[in-house]
Amino acid sequence: MGSFEDGLAALEIWRSDATMRTHTRGAPSVFFIHLLCFASAYISDENPEVMIPFTNANYDRHPMLYFSRAEVEELQLRASSTHEHIAARLTEAVHTMLSSPLEYLPPWDPKDYSARWNEIYGNNLGALAMFCVLYPDNIEARDLAKDYMERMAAQPSWLVKDASWDEVPLAHSLVGFATAYDFLYNYLSKTQQEKFLEVIANASGYMYETSYRRGWGFQYLHNHQPTNCMALLTGSLVLMNQGYLQEAYLWTKQVLTIMEKSLVLLREVTDGSLYEGVAYGSYTTRSLFQYMFLVQRHFDINHFGHPWLKKHFAFMYRTILPGFQRTVAIADSNYNWFYGPESQLVFLDKFVLRNGSGNWLADQIRKNRVVEGPGTPSKGQRWCTLHTEFLWYDASLNSVPPPDFGTPVLHHFEDWGVVTYGSALPAEINRSFLSFKSGKLGGRAIYDIVHGNKYKEWIKGWRNFNAGHEHPDQNSFTFAPNGVPFITEALYGPKYTFLNNVLMFSPAVSQSCFAPWEGQVTEDCASKWSKYKHDQAASCQGRVVAAMEKDGVVFIRGEGVGAYHPQLHLKTIQRNLILLHPQLLLLVDQIRLGEQSPLRTAASFFHNVDTPFEETVVDGVHGAFIRQRDGLYKMYWMDDTGSSERATLASVTYPRGYPYNGTNYVNVTLRLRGPLTRAAYLFIGPSVDVQSFSLHGDPRRLDVFVASRQHAYAVYLWTGEEGAGPGQGVGRPALAHVVADRREILFEGKAADPSTPAPEVQDYTAIVERNLQHFKPVFQLLEKQILSRVRNTASFRKTAERLLRFSDKRETEEAIDRLFAVSRRQQRQQQQSRLKKGRRAGRRSPFVDAVPDIFAQIEDNEKKIRQKAQILAQRDVPRDEDEEMKDLLDLADVTYGKHPGGGPWGPRRMVTAAHSGRGPALSASYTRLFLMLNIAIFFVMLAMQLTYFQRAQSLHGQRCLYAVLLVDSCILLWLYSSCSQSQC
């Protein structure tokens, strides 16, 4: 059984030969590469594969992941010209690292490395390595990168000690380390190349093993999945390029199987959104876009026409607050983005949009980045996507804003259940932002897949998705008049209802976190994550009933009753938002109780994560305000009887383990009277001086009157489910009627949320299978290249044995001998014409045809042990985890041998034949045992012949002994042959 080091030695000759062959045709290759790069500036998005040429296994050692050695010079030229603004940020990042190396270098001590969340080390390494590629004369930076990698390679594990069940930190380390290895390969010593490659192999092997046990292997559209799969793919591509085809084949197939399914399911998301929100969406797309690029480059799998991808720009553009510094922070979130989003935006522009809008938005975000205070990128994430931003930026696409830039636009994300208004505007007076959230748990697509029992071949209910980052936030909203955050989300915190801008009720009817108050059904008192898999939580949903804009007035209505416990006997929880003026928002809640409802009180919550509220009261109407540099931002409230209760103003500190300290909120308590209770809230910017505020109504309609110094508003709100006012169109009842001074605006219509679920993608399994057919030919080409390049060398047998290890044991020697015979016969002919034939891909030779299909044998072996892997995985996974494995495995597991003293995944030797299963190993052990016994018996009988039977007079006895010795000799020869083939 060959060791990892043996493999490195065996492959060195063919790699050197490949390098020499490439140099002989380097000049024309460089010419055509430059020609293609020049032409790509004029290629439309109809042919993205032209902008990402398929390598077809034509590698010139390293680098090879994102670019080849021939392209390095062109990248260096771009750094001083068209890409100078991105190169400047790379330079700034590396100079910061060099100025404080101990602050950024990984620690040598494994206890320190694993003591806390350590994604920073892998995240920053990519930018450092890219800088070294662009500026090879900077020896100090290169030495820092080598020291960086040595420190990471010295760790027994990249996992976090207190979160050993989470491979995400390891994935960040692996993708950064493997990328740096590819970029810096030619600057590493021979010892470093081998040592670092072993580290990549061991980490990738560990990721491969855990992909069968952890949720990221089967929970689709969750940020962990592309993050971890991208790390495993990067490691497998590096190993593939080094000639370790069996391991890379298995790992690549596992990644493609997972991610191609995920991309099929993503077709159901018709609005370009990601249900985990903008911040975690940037986490997902950071790796998802890298995956799309790499599978196109290396396996010719094209996803650039994906319908979700074409809509994703809207998800990034329509969620940015005025000033380009913050985003709508729905679900677990920071103030804006975890990763990028400049890299993702230039990716969309180059490969999808081709109109300059992506480059323009990236420029706006770059120019307006927060330098200090809330919204500043974290030290471990701010440089992570600089190398891909540099590689994907297309300078030929001039920055052009979208056609509607400068005009507030209402946008409805139907799948996400989110409405935004006034996004991506300059931070100016009367440039305001409004958002509203009321949708299905996990988004409409995921919810309908789960409840509609769709994709039965892959999906087994909520176990295949993870809505843990969602909040109990149906019917929540945010408001930023003048771009100033007034009512905000509470960011990444506990999943409690009162930490969102929604309602709670009393008394509680179930086990509540804050008795006697009860919130939405996804609230979980004992977990950091939302409840979503069982009971009422699994069916939690809200609904956007209407979302309209006319003459600068916005009307939004949502229904949130589906997010609360059925035993509360709530008939409707209707929330209406009417933006009368950029600095004047009216919110009306209507609560209708069933006859058996035990509820007596409701509580509304309104948050500002940055600034505490202060109390105010005017003419008996209670309110609250926050102080900002441009003035006071105020809110007032009253119910439909004209009563205004004093609110509770408070701040809450989050428990340890959350990235933010806490939030400030206003708690307005409302007494529920009879079957119908309504309350109105007014939110006012500093430029509006409200002088009167009143409301009255009947069971069908609520009338609200607001007057300021400049304007007078009357709002007539029909609060039935479908409205009841006099609509202008047949079958289109009115929902609201607004009179602003002398202007009259009527909002009418039925539900804005389509009720018909999207159809299942046709032939979804066949789509995945077709894409999986692309990668195997690449490995087969590499296998033939390896054998053809070493066939006349002393290392041929060692290389052939290694590559053919997964073939049938009885045919391995015959295959090698056949390869030798063909090699000797063609040696003289190919010595003169090898280069010419190498360029003619269509011609085949007897040598190439003699190579067995080792990858078919690998797949056969995997099918045999798949059931055993399932049983083992089910036995090892705790029943209370979200990662049940029944009926979810696509490939079998593989075990890697540990090096004495190694940690969870290294350092240890990678076993190249690990996937041959336990059967052959067990057979080899028995063969070895019988061989030793038979040798002993043979010598015993031979001794008896020479001593006892030599003196015996019986000829018959001597003949019997000779017969036994002859039979035993035959058995001995057969056992020796079997033992030789199985390498026992």
Side-chain angles (χ1 to χ4, degrees), residues 29-72:
S29 298
V30 171
F31 172 77
F32 283 113
I33 288 172
H34 280 267
L35 183 62
L36 285 173
C37 290
F38 178 78
S40 68
Y42 301 96
I43 299 299
S44 70
D45 58 328
E46 296 177 358
N47 295 295
E49 66 275 8
V50 177
M51 291 178 286
I52 311 176
F54 174 39
T55 58
N56 199 25
N58 184 22
Y59 301 122
D60 182 12
R61 302 185 75 180
H62 294 278
M64 49 75 71
L65 286 174
Y66 295 91
F67 53 88
S68 66
R69 294 174 66 182
E71 296 172 281
V72 169

Side-chain angles (χ1 to χ4, degrees), residues 482-539:
N482 302 331
V484 176
F486 182 17
I487 304 300
T488 73
E489 300 283 359
L491 305 182
Y492 200 142
K495 311 306 181 287
Y496 298 143
T497 304
F498 85 93
L499 295 179
N500 296 273
N501 302 314
V502 294
L503 292 164
M504 294 184 72
F505 296 94
S506 177
V509 297
S510 63
Q511 292 184 348
S512 172
C513 302
F514 301 97
W517 295 96
E518 179 154 346
Q520 297 186 4
V521 291
T522 56
E523 187 175 82
D524 195 334
C525 313
S527 174
K528 187 178 180 180
W529 317 114
S530 282
K531 182 166 52 178
Y532 66 94
K533 293 184 65 175
H534 306 292
D535 306 324
Q536 285 79 20
S539 299

Side-chain angles (χ1 to χ4, degrees), residues 901-919:
W905 54 261
R908 55 189 172 175
R909 298 182 183 273
M910 184 176 64
V911 181
T912 58
H915 221 78
S916 59
R918 295 180 58 190

